Amino acid sequence: MGGIRPTVHTRPRDDAVRANSAFTELAQQIRGLGLLRRRYGYYWTKLIAAPLAVAVCLIAFVWIGDTWWQLFTAAVLAIVFTQIAFLGHDAAHRQIFVSGRWNDWISLVLGDLLVGMSYGWWQHKHTRHHANPNKLGSDPDIELPVIAVTAETAARRHSPPVAWLRAHQGLLFFPILLFEGLSLHASSVRRVVAKGRLERRWAEIAFLSIRMIGYLVLVFIVLSPGIAFVFLAVQLGLFGFYMGIAFAPNHKGMPVVPRDMTLDFLRRQVLMSRNIRGSRFLDVAMGGLNYQVEHHLFPSMPRPQLRKAAPVVAAYCDEHDVRYTQVGLFASYAIVVRYINRVGLGERDVFTCPLIEQRSLAGNSGG
């Protein structure tokens, strides 16, 4: 929507007070509409359905037996595991229950036991991302091991294979996502065995061991080795791809914030996030992540309320001249691929933060 108008006649403290009061006013509107209320019926339905869906898939897997038809089972499991991961994401953000302890244990069961992803690893990483989305030195989601999403990362020296990959990362972006599932499992294992503070470490180790070892044993008992390896490749590949295409449109290709810049909460969350326009089917398919602006402003808002909150937030941002970004799904992928391609080819300042431009204009106008 609208751009940001430079303000030149107010002091920094006045600007900060106004910015904070701006978010407070929006929060009051959202709360007044009842959009932060818990949706217990919605979530209990999903919490009951999640283990039942896994059980049905595993019973079908054993019943079908040693056949290449199991590749369809692998695809279904990839979808089921991703949907459960979305539900675990909701619990981790305190969207399901008032009790933090209940949300934590639900996240452990859904993430570690059913999906094979460490809740502790995700929580540590994701909390930092929410605090400073797309900020250099603060957001771990822009420090990826393979793909460079900032000019700063792309400018570093790399081995010839990595340098070649970075130069072609726009073309290879979607194929690389096929390895994301394996990466998520590996990162989870590293986190639970690494030194450092980790709450409920032994619960995570136990849940991850049951999930990963038990799953592998079942696969190789039911399937012959050749089919088993292909089955795992398909299941892990599609799981990682699905996770990747759900999370990639949210911030990639949005402005990158310099290390030394401090933004008020409203602009920090809205300017760096992108919504994906679509139907209720898309809401289900993306686990509510298509409402990234609203999710970042109100992380504990239950998922079914995000669709209702979006027009309220969009109108409020338009009224306060804060750029609210919303595009179609395929348009978002085009933006992401074009952006990381330009980063990989070494272009600097691919996107600048709108507030840098604002401050520059303010400085020039103020003399």
Side-chain angles (χ1 to χ4, degrees):
M1 293 196 173
I4 303 173
R5 296 174 185 169
T7 302
V8 297
H9 299 299
T10 56
R11 293 173 297 175
R13 182 178 178 82
D14 296 331
D15 290 339
V17 171
R18 290 183 182 182
N20 290 332
S21 64
F23 175 70
T24 302
E25 183 184 341
L26 173 61
Q28 289 172 346
Q29 286 188 27
I30 292 295
R31 190 173 290 107
L33 292 170
L35 297 178
L36 295 179
R37 292 193 195 117
R38 306 292 167 178
R39 293 289 301 271
Y40 291 113
Y42 172 87
Y43 278 116
W44 272 116
T45 301
K46 285 186 170 291
L47 289 173
I48 293 170
L52 287 178
V54 173
V56 168
C57 287
L58 294 182
I59 291 171
F61 173 76
V62 174
W63 178 73
I64 293 171
D66 188 26
T67 168
W68 288 104
W69 288 106
Q70 292 282 21
L71 298 189
F72 289 101
T73 312
V76 172
L77 277 170
I79 295 171
V80 169
F81 287 146
T82 305
Q83 285 290 321
I84 294 174
F86 292 155
L87 187 58
H89 172 263
D90 291 0
H93 277 295
R94 308 295 193 254
Q95 294 177 19
I96 300 180
F97 301 108
V98 174
S99 167
R101 183 179 178 86
W102 273 64
N103 283 305
D104 285 341
W105 279 103
I106 288 296
S107 297
L108 286 166
V109 171
L110 294 174
D112 293 67
L113 185 60
L114 296 185
V115 179
M117 283 177 55
S118 165
Y119 168 54
W121 166 78
W122 178 91
Q123 185 183 44
H124 176 70
K125 173 177 175 289
H126 202 65
T127 299
R128 291 159 57 206
H129 160 70
H130 264 263
N132 289 285
N134 275 22
K135 184 172 184 177
L136 292 171
S138 300
D139 184 359
D141 284 5
I142 60 174
E143 292 291 339
L144 303 178
V146 177
I147 295 174
V149 296
T150 68
E152 180 180 281
T153 304
R156 297 172 188 162
R157 293 180 62 86
H158 302 285
S159 63
V162 173
W164 181 89
L165 190 150
R166 292 272 171 88
H168 300 81
Q169 64 180 12
L171 179 65
L172 298 174
F173 175 68
F174 286 108
I176 288 172
L177 293 181
L178 292 169
F179 297 94
E180 181 65 12
L182 186 61
S183 175
L184 291 172
H185 290 311
S187 297
S188 297
V189 172
R190 284 197 301 268
R191 174 61 177 160
V192 299
V193 300
K195 295 180 179 179
R197 183 174 180 274
L198 179 64
E199 293 186 19
R200 304 181 179 90
R201 181 186 298 274
W202 290 108
E204 292 216 49
I205 290 175
F207 285 168
L208 284 176
S209 299
I210 293 170
R211 164 61 172 82
M212 293 185 176
I213 296 173
Y215 183 63
L216 288 174
V217 169
L218 178 64
V219 168
F220 280 95
I221 286 177
V222 173
L223 304 179
S224 55
I227 298 178
F229 280 113
V230 177
F231 173 90
L232 290 172
V234 171
Q235 189 267 298
L236 284 170
L238 292 180
F239 168 66
F241 186 82
Y242 188 0
M243 290 283 284
I245 62 173
F247 281 90
N250 302 339
H251 304 281
K252 304 296 183 289
M254 295 301 287
V256 174
V257 183
R259 296 171 183 270
D260 59 351
M261 176 170 279
T262 301
L263 305 175
D264 67 87
F265 183 78
L266 181 67
R267 286 167 175 78
R268 184 165 74 243
Q269 303 301 340
V270 175
L271 293 175
M272 314 311 154
S273 303
R274 178 192 297 115
N275 275 16
I276 308 302
R277 187 187 304 112
S279 65
R280 292 186 183 276
F281 173 79
L282 187 68
D283 295 356
V284 175
M286 296 192 72
L289 296 173
N290 46 319
Y291 298 107
Q292 196 65 196
V293 173
E294 290 71 30
H295 173 60
H296 265 255
L297 288 172
F298 304 99
S300 63
M301 179 181 289
R303 191 197 307 180
Q305 308 285 42
L306 294 170
R307 188 177 187 88
K308 300 174 185 176
V312 178
V313 174
Y316 188 86
C317 288
D318 187 42
E319 180 183 343
H320 288 75
D321 295 321
V322 178
R323 187 179 303 165
Y324 181 98
T325 302
Q326 182 173 232
V327 300
L329 180 62
F330 294 106
S332 74
Y333 293 141
I335 292 168
V336 171
V337 170
R338 185 165 58 247
Y339 171 79
I340 64 171
N341 184 60
R342 291 170 63 187
V343 171
L345 292 175
E347 293 189 30
R348 303 193 66 82
D349 299 324
V350 179
F351 280 110
T352 57
C353 177
L355 289 186
I356 296 178
E357 300 171 5
Q358 174 189 359
R359 293 183 181 184
S360 176
L361 287 170
N364 293 336
S365 300

